[in-house]
Amino acid sequence: MRGRLRSGRRGLLPGVTAAAARHTRARTGYPSPVLVALSTWDRSLFRRVAERHWPGGDRVLPRLSRSADHGVLWFGVAAGAALLGGPAVRRAALRGTLSLALASATVNTVGKRSVRRVRPVADLVPVVRRLARQPVTTSFPSGHSASAAAFATGVALESPWWGLALAPLAASVCFSRVYTGVHYPGDVLAGAALGAGAAFVVRGLAPGRPRQVPAAPARPDAPALPGGRGLVVVANCVSGQRAAGPADPVPAIRSALPQAEVVTCGPGDSLARLLEEAAARARELGGALGVHGGDGTVNAAATAAARHGLPLAVLPGGTYNHFARDLGVATVADAARAVEAGEAVAVDVGRFEGLRFLNTFSIGAYPDLVRVRERWAPRIGAWPAGVAAAVHVLRTARPVRLRVDGRRRTVWLLFAGNCLYRGPGMAPVRRADLADGLLDVRLVHGGRLARTRLLLAALTGAVRHSPVLRVVRARRLSVTGIPPGTHLAYDGEVAPAPPSLTLRKDREALLVYRPSPEGR
């Protein structure tokens, strides 16, 4: 009996390492009966699948399994959704892709290295089913199953109907891994569970649209501009193209605000100069400055508006639109309604070394991610580039040594949010207040196995208690000793970091149009 158990070591239960089995034998003389029973069930089920004839399976399932190599199948689905679907479908595809990226990183950095289970014996599977190129990695857990479950679950969390439509395809990919003989059923079940868990982690880090608009002091002194009279809008057409939106946003702006003056900024134009001229013109008219673009464009417009003492109208038209989303301005029509009614709020502005940020500031891995994403986006598109850049940076990033408020730190990431962000993790999510006077500072320490420990904490829901992550609320932050060649990011823009800088808050420094909750 003991000899048979030893010879079946490659069939140990998924999740049970050889070391754990040896420890059990050392105490009892035999492996745990429960582990033996489950491992026997796993091998028996694999044998039954291998011996049974599945009509049509030989033609379809091996091809389907190969199409999912390296996530190609799911990236293709996401790309099709981004090109042909509306905003809701694109958000679902993005959430599914981010979930897949997290699941894949977890399988390859933690799962495969922790449980080194040998793959099934291929001789049990008919030759016609076998893959032409057999995998060389360990068997537990199934990476294909993790990716399939992560993508389908991520899509379902954003769009239940689309998730339901993808569920049969994801289940077929999972089954194909047993059918072709490269995984035990237990490997597939563990991979699918891990993938679904990764999707829920992504939802925790980046929830869907906020249920309520963040607080901010209402300001009755913003001018009401019927039809947009007195509003001068600078439309950054480059941002619209990056966002896969319309190449010319002017018709939509003129439709919502027919009396506004619209200036377009195309490739080769100076955005700063156009914003300065538009702000001067708006002050002459006694109106307001408007901007159509993404977060970087809005940041530049906020600087011009603050310098001229003007209210700002944000018309979302960029790749991510984080500030507009936190304002509760989802469309040009939302902004137009607020402009015509004179509804506005005062929001905080973060600043450092003569620059401002409305959303976030960071040093470390995120600026590297932005640089890689911007380099790849023209070739493969903004959404795929963002996911590919995240995976690349996760593998290649190096910690930065600097001083934070005088204390020497080695960090993967220093993040500072303009106002407090919801969620205990290392990524910004949503703000509950746009004028709280605070900086939301998060440090991801760069010690030994920091990335792996933080990833495990995220998967187990224990990020708040992870020693790798430090969260601080502050009104001022000093960062010195920054190494030469380090880059920083603010509102999605990347710039070389100076040797030292100080982050500060300007309370309620910017007046921004926002429709009242009653008018939504």
Side-chain angles (χ1 to χ4, degrees):
M1 174 68 177
R2 186 177 299 181
R4 286 200 303 274
L5 291 173
R6 284 175 178 164
S7 65
R9 175 176 168 183
R10 71 171 54 190
L12 282 173
L13 176 69
V16 180
T17 63
R22 287 196 299 270
H23 179 68
T24 304
R25 282 198 297 268
R27 290 187 294 106
T28 65
Y30 295 95
S32 164
V34 175
L35 299 183
V36 172
L38 290 176
S39 182
T40 301
W41 169 85
D42 200 23
R43 295 195 305 273
S44 174
L45 186 57
F46 174 83
R47 189 176 299 108
R48 289 172 62 185
V49 172
E51 293 173 351
R52 181 175 174 180
H53 173 65
W54 303 82
D58 295 346
R59 295 192 305 273
V60 176
L61 291 178
R63 295 178 182 177
L64 180 63
S65 188
R66 287 194 299 271
S67 73
D69 288 350
H70 309 294
V72 172
L73 171 64
W74 308 115
F75 289 135
V77 172
L83 291 174
L84 304 176
V89 176
R90 288 198 292 269
R91 286 195 302 271
L94 175 62
R95 186 175 294 281
T97 306
L98 292 175
S99 303
L100 183 154
L102 178 59
S104 179
T106 305
V107 167
N108 292 316
T109 59
V110 179
K112 297 286 189 182
R113 298 179 183 180
S114 301
V115 183
R116 298 183 177 276
R117 191 185 196 194
V118 179
R119 290 187 183 268
V121 178
D123 293 348
L124 297 175
V125 178
V127 175
V128 69
R129 298 187 191 176
R130 299 179 200 171
L131 299 178
R133 182 178 299 175
Q134 292 291 313
V136 296
T137 58
T138 53
S139 186
F140 181 92
S142 167
H144 283 64
S145 302
S147 296
F151 187 85
T153 305
V155 169
L157 291 175
E158 185 71 33
S159 176
W161 287 109
W162 279 105
L164 184 63
L166 286 174
L169 181 62
S172 297
V173 170
C174 292
F175 178 70
S176 74
R177 303 306 287 175
V178 180
Y179 184 85
T180 56
V182 295
H183 281 292
Y184 290 104
D187 303 334
V188 169
L189 293 176
L194 188 151
F200 280 95
V201 169
V202 169
R203 188 181 70 168
L205 296 174
R209 292 184 173 183
R211 295 179 182 175
Q212 60 182 20
V213 178
R219 290 282 293 272
D221 52 335
L225 307 174
R229 182 187 296 274
L231 180 69
V232 183
V233 180
V234 176
N236 188 350
C237 298
V238 177
S239 290
Q241 290 169 358
R242 283 204 308 263
D248 183 7
V250 175
I253 298 172
R254 292 199 186 282
S255 175
L257 297 163
Q259 298 188 52
E261 298 182 14
V262 183
V263 180
T264 59
C265 178
D269 291 333
S270 170
L271 177 63
R273 178 181 60 80
L274 292 177
L275 285 169
E276 190 66 24
E277 294 174 354
R281 172 62 176 162
R283 186 172 60 180
E284 177 184 320
L285 296 172
L289 177 64
V291 60
H292 179 279
D295 290 308
T297 304
V298 173
N299 179 293
T303 299
R307 184 161 47 244
H308 288 267
L310 295 169
L312 181 67
V314 178
L315 285 63
T319 307
Y320 300 105
N321 304 310
H322 293 300
F323 184 66
R325 199 158 57 233
D326 280 350
L327 275 176
V329 178
T331 65
V332 172
D334 290 338
R337 190 165 62 251
V339 168
E340 292 188 300
E343 298 170 341
V345 293
V347 302
D348 288 356
V349 176
R351 61 184 174 91
F352 65 98
E353 308 307 310
L355 297 174
R356 292 176 169 84
F357 61 98
L358 300 176
N359 299 312
T360 63
F361 166 95
S362 60
I363 291 177
Y366 184 72
D368 292 340
L369 184 152
V370 174
R371 288 198 298 162
V372 174
R373 183 185 70 200
E374 294 302 311
R375 188 167 66 246
W376 291 351
R379 289 178 287 175
I380 63 176
W383 300 116
V387 174
V391 174
H392 174 78
V393 170
L394 183 66
R395 294 174 51 244
T396 63
R398 295 292 179 267
V400 179
R401 293 180 59 85
L402 39 74
R403 291 185 180 274
V404 180
D405 282 342
R407 295 189 62 180
R408 174 63 67 181
R409 304 278 191 184
T410 301
V411 300
W412 288 108
L413 176 68
L414 185 156
F415 163 88
N418 175 31
C419 302
L420 303 186
Y421 279 84
R422 291 193 290 111
M426 60 285 192
V429 183
R430 294 286 188 273
R431 287 169 280 192
D433 193 336
L434 294 175
D436 61 13
L438 296 174
L439 293 168
D440 187 345
V441 181
R442 307 187 184 200
L443 298 170
V444 179
H445 296 293
R448 186 171 180 268
L449 299 177
R451 281 181 295 187
T452 301
R453 293 166 67 190
L454 190 62
L455 187 61
L456 286 172
L459 290 172
T460 57
V463 173
R464 183 188 297 273
H465 306 292
S466 173
V468 176
L469 176 68
R470 177 176 173 81
V471 179
V472 178
R473 313 310 192 199
R475 299 183 186 277
R476 179 182 178 278
L477 188 74
S478 172
V479 184
T480 60
I482 303 174
T486 301
H487 284 75
L488 58 82
Y490 61 102
D491 290 351
E493 301 297 309
V494 177
S500 62
L501 56 87
T502 301
L503 301 176
R504 296 181 175 86
K505 285 295 294 281
D506 290 337
R507 293 293 309 275
E508 301 178 19
L510 181 65
L511 188 61
V512 188
Y513 285 102
R514 182 177 82 178
S516 66
E518 293 78 11
R520 294 176 193 282

